[in-house]
Amino acid sequence: MARVAVVGAGLGALAAAARLAALGHAVTVLEQAPQVGGKLGWYARDGHGFDTGPSLVTLPQLYRDLFAVTGGPLEDAVDLVRLDPAVAYRFADGTRLSVPGHAAAVPGALDAALGAGSGAQWSALMARAAAMWRITEQPFLRSPLAGAATLARLALSGSDVATVAPWRTLRGLGTAYLRDPRLRTLLDRYATYSGSDPRRAPAVLATVPHVEQAFGSWYVRGGLRRLAGAVAQRAVERGAVVRTGTPVEQVLVEGGRAAGVRLAGGEVLRADVVVSGADAAALYADLLPTSRPTRRVRHDLARSTPSLSGFVLLLALRGRTPGLAHHTVLFPDDYDAEFDAVFGVGRFRGAPRPVADPTVYVSAPDDPATRPDDASESWFVLVNAPRHDPAGGVDWDAPGLADRYARQVLEVMARRGLDVRDRVRWCVVRTPADLERDTRSVGGSIYGTSSNGARAAFLRPGNASPVPGLFLVGGSSHPGGGLPLVALSAEIVAGLVGPA
Ligand SMILES: Cc1cc2nc3c(=O)[nH]c(=O)nc-3n(C[C@H](O)[C@H](O)[C@H](O)COP(=O)(O)OP(=O)(O)OC[C@H]3O[C@@H](n4cnc5c(N)ncnc54)[C@H](O)[C@@H]3O)c2cc1C
């Protein structure tokens, strides 16, 4: 039995803690915030309740696996609801498209909304994406990153290489398969699921809409934060200790291997294994002593583009919006301007800025747990935003910026047909700087590093660090961010540590 110290109680870390406790290890989770969940947060006031981070669960099977191997079914712990429709899109030309929650119904809906032939184009792309998923799931997503060994595992046949097309971007793939610009916009949006720019992210991200449509879009009744509570509860049931309000200041390295952690206030917790669920950039910059192997990881991190962040409005609204889907996306006229602004490239080279005319994502669960009464609604509104970077980019703490931009987002929504300005009871604004403060993700990046560039996936920090006994879990390490992938990172780490 190893003593395991887990840094942070984000979902990846909690999943690792549950697995390692179930394997018989003595696990202690140390979370700086007063509650568990990290980005999977919750805000409640006056009977209104909001998930402040994720609003969409994909690949729930990964959480079913987690719960099954740690002692009992997921469905006993949370109430999962499959969404149908999955998402309603409004395009800049006024077209409305409601995407059904089951893959078989998608082509028909596309033909009806976008014109005959759209469904066939999308189906051909999804068939290619399904093949990409079969090729990459096991050797890449479900296995540790191991330099040349990963490449050897990925030693693909010529036809597999042609299918995955590692040289191709998501935009390039969309252009090859989709003639309708609205379909291409729809595909481009999936790059943002990993915080990336479709013009630079790899084509293999087409697997994201594939898994979303093949396995469904899901909600957790009562709010997604319940998933974090349930995983924490499972870890505790298996014997883990969870300490909140407990910042880790340093990962101790003795004789070249991880030896425990030092907490704020000086307490030392000795451990045989340290699992860090903190942002990898913060781990390598602040928590670990510098050494030659860690310098190498810092170098790789410096060569990666950080993921985008998000600007969030939590809107407590009077009244209800008839016919509103659970998820609605309002697209702008010029999607590329959004990526230029967020990443400071193209026309905004070197000068990232809040997006003037952003894509707006509205999540409005029809769930009594989120509203004070049936004549009210609670909307989570998200727009892509550059990370908080007072030194070289956007300073989200600049006086007046957050309020000004919140008004701008509400105006954009009004222009695109969702005018709620006279229904706002109150509005809470959460900027990338708030996300950084609350979860210690550097710059408020949602997913650590982005997938921009063909090598990005290989530059992302691995789950086994160069320091023996120190492992990384969560969205800023392999295989990446988002609820499904962090579950995979936990599975990989539990496999690397092994049973007690
Ligand atoms: C606005 C927003 C929307 C999102 N939407 C979706 C979505 O719809 N679907 C989806 O799948 N994903 C979504 N995500 C991404 C998803 O939230 C994350 O990938 C996921 O929650 C997993 O995070 P993590 O395991 O990396 O940990 P995090 O949530 O990043 O948590 C890290 C934890 O470590 C703690 N910590 C950090 N440093 C220390 C330290 N030194 N000592 C102690 N504790 C420390 C932090 O306080 C935090 O609790 C969204 C994220 C955001 C912010």
Side-chain angles (χ1 to χ4, degrees), residues 181-202:
R182 293 163 299 185
L183 276 181
R184 295 201 292 266
T185 298
L186 196 147
L187 178 68
D188 275 355
R189 179 170 169 266
Y190 286 97
T192 67
Y193 280 39
S194 67
S196 312
D197 178 338
R199 301 167 301 180
R200 292 191 286 157

Side-chain angles (χ1 to χ4, degrees), residues 6-14 30-41 51-58 63 193 224 243 245-250 263 276-279 282-283 287 309-312 327 361 380 382 430 435-441 444-448 473-477 480-487 489:
V6 177
V7 184
L11 199 61
L14 290 171
L30 306 150
E31 166 57 52
Q32 57 90 23
Q35 72 287 319
V36 301
K39 296 185 183 102
L40 196 50
D51 279 310
T52 59
S55 51
L56 170 68
V57 180
T58 45
Y63 285 90
Y193 280 39
L224 267 64
R243 292 173 60 181
T246 308
V248 170
E249 267 185 2
Q250 209 188 345
L263 307 179
S276 174
D279 189 298
L283 168 75
L287 301 184
S309 186
F311 181 87
V312 170
H327 296 142
Y361 169 81
F380 165 89
L382 173 68
R430 290 174 49 80
L435 188 60
E436 177 177 66
R437 277 186 284 272
D438 290 350
T439 66
R440 298 199 181 182
S441 64
S445 289
I446 292 183
Y447 303 102
V473 74
S476 54
S477 59
L483 304 178
L485 295 193
V486 305
S489 75

Side-chain angles (χ1 to χ4, degrees), residues 44-387:
R45 196 166 114 199
D46 307 334
H48 288 273
F50 307 81
D51 279 310
T52 59
S55 51
L56 170 68
V57 180
T58 45
L59 283 172
Q61 183 57 38
L62 299 175
Y63 285 90
R64 291 198 184 99
D65 293 348
L66 167 70
F67 275 73
V69 300
T70 56
L74 171 67
E75 273 74 7
D76 285 358
V78 293
D79 189 2
L80 275 171
V81 185
R82 188 165 181 163
L83 299 176
D84 197 3
V87 55
Y89 293 103
R90 298 186 188 184
F91 294 91
D93 68 355
T95 309
R96 292 188 180 205
L97 163 68
S98 182
V99 176
H102 292 84
V106 172
L110 294 176
D111 280 343
L114 307 180
S118 308
Q121 288 168 43
W122 185 257
S123 296
L125 176 66
M126 287 301 98
R128 169 84 175 264
M132 288 172 160
W133 177 251
R134 279 194 298 276
I135 293 166
T136 54
E137 184 193 1
Q138 189 57 46
F140 186 72
L141 293 176
R142 284 186 180 267
S143 307
L145 260 192
T150 303
L151 291 174
R153 247 191 344 254
L154 272 170
L156 309 172
S157 67
S159 73
D160 285 354
V161 172
T163 300
V164 175
W167 55 86
R168 202 166 218 183
T169 63
L170 186 66
R171 171 68 61 84
L173 188 73
T175 307
Y177 276 81
L178 308 169
R179 284 189 303 280
D180 190 308
R182 293 163 299 185
L183 276 181
R184 295 201 292 266
T185 298
L186 196 147
L187 178 68
D188 275 355
R189 179 170 169 266
Y190 286 97
T192 67
Y193 280 39
S194 67
S196 312
D197 178 338
R199 301 167 301 180
R200 292 191 286 157
V204 74
L205 287 187
T207 51
V208 182
H210 160 65
V211 297
E212 185 175 293
Q213 294 181 356
F215 307 110
S217 298
W218 299 78
Y219 174 66
V220 178
R221 220 184 286 282
L224 267 64
R225 49 80 195 242
R226 292 208 172 158
L227 185 58
V231 179
Q233 173 70 22
R234 177 54 55 87
V236 170
E237 284 164 7
R238 297 279 75 82
V241 173
V242 178
R243 292 173 60 181
T244 52
T246 308
V248 170
E249 267 185 2
Q250 209 188 345
V251 174
L252 303 174
V253 179
E254 286 172 11
R257 59 170 295 128
V261 293
R262 174 174 293 111
L263 307 179
E267 184 188 341
V268 167
L269 202 79
R270 302 203 70 78
D272 309 300
V273 169
V274 176
V275 175
S276 174
D279 189 298
L283 168 75
Y284 282 101
D286 306 328
L287 301 184
L288 266 180
T290 308
S291 63
R292 193 185 298 183
T294 60
R295 220 173 277 132
R296 170 76 204 267
V297 183
R298 280 185 200 145
H299 179 68
D300 284 349
L301 279 164
R303 287 160 66 206
S304 310
T305 310
S307 100
L308 50 71
S309 186
F311 181 87
V312 170
L313 304 181
L314 307 177
L315 298 177
L317 300 180
R318 278 182 292 274
R320 300 290 290 274
T321 314
L324 187 69
H326 190 112
H327 296 142
T328 303
V329 175
L330 313 173
F331 280 121
D333 195 27
D334 183 356
Y335 208 5
D336 281 356
E338 175 158 334
F339 297 108
D340 285 351
V342 165
F343 290 105
V345 296
R347 72 202 88 172
F348 303 126
R349 189 175 182 79
R353 61 195 62 202
V355 186
D357 192 30
T359 304
V360 181
Y361 169 81
V362 177
S363 180
D366 182 4
D367 179 349
T370 64
R371 56 181 184 245
D373 51 52
D374 285 346
S376 302
E377 288 175 336
S378 303
W379 287 15
F380 165 89
V381 175
L382 173 68
V383 304
N384 294 325
R387 57 208 283 274

Side-chain angles (χ1 to χ4, degrees), residues 378-404:
S378 303
W379 287 15
F380 165 89
V381 175
L382 173 68
V383 304
N384 294 325
R387 57 208 283 274
H388 178 55
D389 180 12
V394 177
D395 177 0
W396 282 103
D397 285 335
L401 174 60
D403 287 342
R404 244 187 351 264

Side-chain angles (χ1 to χ4, degrees), residues 420-439:
V420 292
R421 287 172 295 185
D422 60 353
R423 292 173 46 203
V424 177
R425 208 167 262 147
W426 47 261
C427 166
V428 169
V429 179
R430 290 174 49 80
T431 70
D434 295 319
L435 188 60
E436 177 177 66
R437 277 186 284 272
D438 290 350
T439 66

